[in-house]
DNA sequence: GCATGATCATGC
DNA sequence: GCATGATCATGC
């Protein structure tokens, strides 16, 4: 078998019919491509990233869409997207984002959401999720998800806002400042194996990195959660969706009535009891969730979007009382990472949601404001990057007890993060040291709020 | 006053 | 039992 060989004659399915496509797709669930195409001796030349998808198109669905602006199943209006899953402690998660087509900086500004090439191609997706195993041939990957996916209305509202944010930047000649952290579900992710390629953009001489529109990893995880647990109702007509405020505005609006109110008054407003003399360390985080109208510890909208909530307490002078902690790392695992795919970089690239409290002149703590924030590229790549590299170097050199302190860098430092001094972790040299994590400097956190 | 080390309280 | 977000406490 070779590329271009038409197998559709073996298939009792109609690639122009949505229902038929779905039936054929669903038949893949629980099988590998090799099993699904049983009986055919398969010799192929496909390999590397995207091999699964190309093979699936040609030999399972018998289509050859190429790089068209039309959906892959043109007549049915369905775009085929296969994507890898991987195992995590909690179950299956997305291995990466789902890319939905390169951004054409020059033509995008003249589009509206309704007429966008994005919507034209991607409003109706056939999602095929397969379990990626690094030691297997892609023909043996098991298909876990096969789902016709139209975006639920509440999601499409957010995606629309995301899309508009991206276009807005491109329009004003700021394509080079695009960042995946700008948006929630739909992201502008960098494309191209080497990071050197650049493209022209309108209204600026600056060249911009090539980027594609993508469903961000956190959102793909939300899709996986929904489809593996059984599908929800989906929207029938994307054009009918009504307008609403953006996700971030909606979230911020929930806090509006609490602005500048002292803690005890907020307690009253929320129908809580009196403020205890010594509130627990996560009391203000809990209060923040309650102000948002969320009961549990998880905030579903934030989980989907990969947004991280952090509470910040400011003193009278407006400076944060504390630096900002992150999960403790394991010395031996940290030194195996590279900065670009490090756990900490991954964490910092997310969108943050700060809930800010401040002491007034009488010393009374009040809710001040909320703020969505993404770390500027320079601060991440140059400042945090160097702290990270220095940390790894010192651990490798057996100096895990002397990691970069707050005075060494303006943005980040390393410091203990453990239950107590006996809560230790083994360094590569065998010494046991108290668990530590990366912190964002107190002073720096203060500056982000201005 | 601030950096640094140490620890608390919660919830899974 | 432990990770986690957050804050306390000490000493320079």
């Amino acid at each position: 078998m070779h590329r271009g060989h038409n197998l559709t004659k073996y298939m009792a399915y109609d690639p122009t019919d949505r229902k038929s496509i779905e039936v054929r797709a669903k038949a893949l669930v629980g099988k590998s491509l090799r099993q699904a195409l049983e009986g055919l001796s398969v010799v192929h030349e496909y390999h590397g990233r995207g091999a699964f998808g190309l093979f699936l198109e040609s030999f399972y669905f018998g289509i050859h869409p190429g790089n068209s602006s039309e959906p892959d199943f043109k007549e049915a209006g369905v775009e085929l997207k296969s994507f890898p899953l991987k195992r995590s402690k909690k179950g299956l998660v997305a291995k990466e984002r789902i890319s939905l087509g390169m951004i054409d900086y020059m033509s995008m500004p003249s589009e509206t959401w309704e007429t966008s090439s994005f919507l034209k191609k991607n409003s109706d997706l056939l999602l095929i999720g397969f379990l990626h195993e690094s030691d297997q041939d892609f023909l043996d990957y098991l298909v876990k998800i096969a789902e016709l996916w139209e975006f639920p209305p509440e999601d499409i509202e957010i995606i629309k806002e995301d899309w508009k944010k991206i276009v807005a930047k491109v329009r004003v000649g700021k394509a080079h400042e695009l960042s995946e952290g700008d948006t929630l579900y739909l992201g502008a992710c960098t494309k191209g194996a080497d990071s050197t390629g650049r493209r022209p953009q309108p209204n600026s001489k600056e060249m911009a990195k090539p980027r594609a529109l993508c469903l961000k990893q956190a959102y793909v995880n939300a899709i996986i959660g929904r489809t593996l647990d059984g599908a929800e109702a989906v929207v029938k007509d994307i054009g009918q969706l009504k307008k609403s405020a953006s996700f971030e505005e909606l979230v911020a609006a929930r806090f509006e009535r609490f602005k500048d109110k002292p803690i005890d008054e907020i307690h009253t407003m929320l129908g809580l009891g009196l403020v205890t003399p010594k509130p627990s360390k996560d009391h203000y985080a809990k209060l923040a969730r309650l102000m948002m109208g969320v009961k549990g510890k998880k905030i579903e909208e934030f989980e989907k979007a990969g947004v991280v909530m952090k509470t910040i307490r400011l003193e009278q002078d407006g400076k944060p009382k504390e630096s900002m902690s992150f999960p403790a790392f394991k010395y031996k695992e940290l030194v195996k990472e590279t900065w670009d795919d490090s756990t900490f970089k991954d964490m910092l690239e997310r969108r943050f949601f700060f809930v800010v409290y401040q002491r007034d002149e009488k010393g009374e703590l009040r809710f001040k404001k909320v703020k969505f924030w993404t770390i500027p590229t320079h601060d991440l790549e140059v400042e945090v990057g160097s702290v990270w590299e220095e940390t790894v170097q010192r651990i490798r050199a057996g100096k895990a007890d002397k990691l970069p302190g707050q005075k060494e860098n303006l943005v980040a430092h390393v410091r203990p993060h453990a239950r107590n001094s006996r809560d230790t972790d083994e360094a590569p040299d065998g010494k046991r040291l108290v668990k530590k994590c990366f912190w964002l400097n107190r002073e720096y956190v203060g500056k982000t709020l201005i």
Side-chain angles (χ1 to χ4, degrees), chain A residues 210-441:
Chain A
R211 286 177 186 271
L213 291 174
C214 65
L215 296 180
K216 296 174 68 168
Q217 202 163 349
Y219 184 71
V220 180
N221 281 333
I223 292 179
I224 293 169
R226 284 191 228 172
T227 50
L228 286 181
D229 289 343
E232 277 185 8
V234 290
V235 60
K236 292 286 171 277
D237 185 356
I238 282 173
Q240 297 289 309
L241 296 172
K242 65 180 197 301
K243 277 187 158 187
S244 81
S246 81
F247 172 79
E248 296 194 356
E249 282 163 357
L250 282 172
V251 170
R254 294 196 206 166
F255 287 87
E256 203 50 49
R257 65 189 180 113
F258 301 105
K259 192 169 163 53
D260 294 321
K261 297 267 193 287
I263 298 301
D264 53 4
E265 201 176 325
I266 293 175
H267 270 235
T268 310
M269 291 169 77
L270 291 169
L272 305 172
L274 293 173
V275 184
T276 43
K278 196 171 181 259
S280 73
K281 286 186 178 182
D282 71 342
H283 180 74
Y284 300 109
K286 220 183 273 175
L287 208 56
R289 289 192 290 271
L290 288 169
M291 284 192 274
M292 229 183 105
V294 176
K295 284 226 178 69
K297 199 170 160 62
K298 287 185 176 171
I299 305 173
E300 200 193 333
E301 296 98 315
F302 283 7
E303 297 255 313
K304 261 195 240 169
V307 173
V308 182
M309 186 178 92
K310 292 277 187 184
T311 48
I312 299 171
R313 271 173 51 189
L314 304 177
E315 293 299 318
Q316 276 116 327
D317 62 4
K319 289 187 178 174
K321 198 166 183 299
E322 305 288 346
S323 295
M324 188 175 283
S325 71
F326 289 87
F329 52 70
K330 293 243 173 15
Y331 294 103
K332 285 174 170 169
E333 284 174 23
L334 183 65
V335 297
K336 276 192 248 165
E337 294 185 342
T338 61
W339 163 242
D340 270 325
D341 42 42
S342 64
T343 312
F344 190 50
K345 186 176 183 193
D346 209 47
M347 170 72 79
L348 278 190
E349 277 177 325
R350 306 216 276 184
R351 187 108 171 119
F352 283 82
F353 179 66
F354 295 146
V355 180
V356 187
Y357 300 88
Q358 183 170 11
R359 263 183 217 296
D360 63 15
E361 41 318 322
K362 288 183 205 150
E364 192 173 17
L365 197 62
R366 291 168 181 270
F367 164 69
K368 190 77 183 158
K369 62 173 175 180
V370 293
K371 184 183 168 99
F372 282 92
W373 177 77
T374 307
I375 190 167
T377 311
H378 171 269
D379 296 353
L380 178 68
E381 294 292 348
V382 181
E383 303 299 334
V384 185
S386 67
V387 172
W388 190 93
E389 297 284 6
E390 181 65 25
T391 301
V392 169
Q393 272 184 31
R394 289 191 201 174
I395 296 172
R396 284 191 184 133
K399 295 178 193 160
D401 55 335
K402 281 197 178 57
L403 298 179
Q406 193 152 197
K407 280 186 273 196
E408 294 182 51
N409 181 277
L410 289 171
V411 179
H413 66 280
V414 180
R415 187 145 61 94
H417 187 183
R419 295 173 72 199
N420 54 47
S421 55
R422 297 179 303 284
D423 187 14
T424 58
D425 180 53
E426 193 177 325
D429 60 7
K431 284 184 195 142
R432 289 206 76 89
L433 293 159
V434 67
K435 287 180 189 164
K436 295 188 184 123
C437 76
F438 290 98
W439 298 69
L440 286 184
N441 296 0

Side-chain angles (χ1 to χ4, degrees), chain A residues 32-75:
Chain A
S32 67
L33 282 173
R34 199 188 298 281
Q35 289 166 338
L37 294 170
E38 195 185 5
L40 295 165
S41 63
V42 179
V43 180
H44 67 87
E45 297 165 357
Y46 293 74
H47 52 84
R49 288 164 71 90
F52 183 99
L54 289 170
F55 195 93
L56 181 72
E57 278 178 359
S58 296
F59 299 121
Y60 189 74
F61 287 111
I63 55 170
H64 304 279
N67 247 343
S68 162
S69 62
E70 304 279 350
D72 295 335
F73 296 96
K74 192 178 163 195
E75 296 83 356

Side-chain angles (χ1 to χ4, degrees), chain A residues 90 95-96 104 116 182 198 202 238 248 270 311 325 401:
Chain A
K90 292 173 197 161
K95 185 166 174 282
E96 52 204 48
D104 182 340
S116 64
D182 293 344
R198 292 289 184 277
I238 282 173
E248 296 194 356
L270 291 169
T311 48
S325 71
D401 55 335

Side-chain angles (χ1 to χ4, degrees), chain A residues 19-37:
Chain A
K19 190 70 205 166
S20 176
I21 295 166
E22 183 177 25
V23 170
R24 180 149 182 86
K26 294 261 185 208
L28 265 175
V29 176
K31 294 194 185 122
S32 67
L33 282 173
R34 199 188 298 281
Q35 289 166 338
L37 294 170

